[in-house]
């Protein structure tokens, strides 16, 4: 009788262990793209989505009259901004940053007058050394933080907003949402030097200038 009871106890423990393993099985991240859900970012509250085809390049002395600020697509400089997890301490020329979005990068822009050092450090933690991401100040933003990927934009007020990480998870290198899968985020200093990037211009492009082109 004792032997039978011991055997029953072992059997019950084994069944319990198996049941716990099934109950604890990892659940797929709802923000990771899948065949059934190729663009999870569309479920984010406040997301803006615009369909942009692959865009023409402009020369370094040209400006693009973007419809959005910061922009999330359209014409851009022939040289892309280095987007290998670079946290730029200064604002960077918009036309270079947009080209990086075409390569699958996520750009975190922020208003330096709206965030304190702790908030900026929190954002930088998400970017520093992470391939296909970049971050830069963007003076004059309507909201403290603006996230961009190709054809997608999300603006938030707080660095601890959970939608920031969800945006990055859904769109960084998502092959369903940008035109040039496989394109690099690295650059040569002869084309773009991340230690001395082309400067940001805050004023909107002059529509009457011969050096301004439409988005």
């Amino acid at each position: 009788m004792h032997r039978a009871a011991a055997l029953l106890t072992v059997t019950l423990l084994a069944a319990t262990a198996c049941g716990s393993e099934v109950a604890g099985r990892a659940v797929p991240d709802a923000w990771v793209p899948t065949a059934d859900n190729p663009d999870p970012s569309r479920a984010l509250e406040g997301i803006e989505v615009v369909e942009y085809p692959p865009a023409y390049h402009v020369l370094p002395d040209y400006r693009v009259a973007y419809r959005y600020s910061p922009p999330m697509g359209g014409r851009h400089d022939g040289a892309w901004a280095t987007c290998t997890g670079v946290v730029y301490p200064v604002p960077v020329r918009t036309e270079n940053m947009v080209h990086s979005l075409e390569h699958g990068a996520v750009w975190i822009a922020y208003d330096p007058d709206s965030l304190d050092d702790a908030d900026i450090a929190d954002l930088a933690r998400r970017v520093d050394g992470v391939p296909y991401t970049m971050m830069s100040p963007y003076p004059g933003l309507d909201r403290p933080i603006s996230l961009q990927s190709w054809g997608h934009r999300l603006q938030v007020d707080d660095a601890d907003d959970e939608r920031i990480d969800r945006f990055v998870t859904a769109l960084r290198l998502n092959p369903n949402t940008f035109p040039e899968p496989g394109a690099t985020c690295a650059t040569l200093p002869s084309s773009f030097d991340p230690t001395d990037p082309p400067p940001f211009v805050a004023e909107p492009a002059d529509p009457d200038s011969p050096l301004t082109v439409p988005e």
Side-chain angles (χ1 to χ4, degrees):
M1 294 292 293
H2 293 296
R3 183 176 182 182
L7 180 59
L8 177 61
T9 301
V10 170
T11 302
L12 289 173
L13 287 173
T16 302
C18 291
S20 298
E21 182 176 342
V22 171
R25 184 176 297 163
V27 176
D29 189 332
W31 303 101
V32 174
T34 64
D36 294 331
N37 188 14
D39 184 3
S41 75
R42 289 177 178 267
L44 289 169
E45 182 181 355
I47 191 77
E48 299 171 89
V49 181
V50 177
E51 297 295 330
Y52 286 104
Y56 292 109
H57 294 168
V58 301
L59 296 174
D61 55 346
Y62 275 69
R63 297 196 63 198
V64 179
Y66 291 112
R67 291 179 290 161
Y68 299 89
S69 181
M72 52 179 148
R75 299 191 195 204
H76 47 262
D77 194 277
W80 59 93
T82 307
C83 44
T84 53
V86 179
V87 177
Y88 291 97
V90 296
V92 181
R93 181 170 176 258
T94 303
E95 286 81 0
N96 298 94
M97 301 295 268
V98 171
H99 192 158
S100 301
L101 304 183
E102 193 179 42
H103 287 200
V106 167
W107 170 24
I108 298 181
Y110 65 94
D111 180 8
D113 293 330
S114 299
L115 299 181
D116 59 26
D117 291 344
D119 290 331
I120 295 171
D122 192 22
L123 293 176
R125 174 185 56 80
R126 295 173 162 99
V127 172
D128 190 19
V130 178
Y132 290 88
T133 64
M134 56 188 182
M135 172 177 158
S136 69
Y138 195 98
L141 274 177
D142 293 336
R143 303 276 292 277
I145 302 165
S146 186
L147 312 170
Q148 288 71 229
S149 74
W150 186 261
H152 297 71
R153 189 174 75 154
L154 176 67
Q155 297 187 314
V156 301
D157 295 322
D158 301 308
D160 59 357
D161 193 310
E162 63 186 7
R163 290 174 295 169
I164 296 175
D165 293 326
R166 292 174 177 178
F167 184 98
V168 175
T169 298
L171 293 168
R172 184 179 72 93
L173 280 178
N174 181 341
N176 306 297
T177 60
F178 68 97
E180 297 185 1
T184 182
C185 255
T187 54
L188 295 173
S190 57
S191 63
F192 183 94
D193 184 355
T195 65
D196 186 24
F200 172 79
V201 180
E203 296 77 19
D206 181 359
D208 297 324
S209 170
L211 299 180
T212 296
V213 297
E215 183 183 80

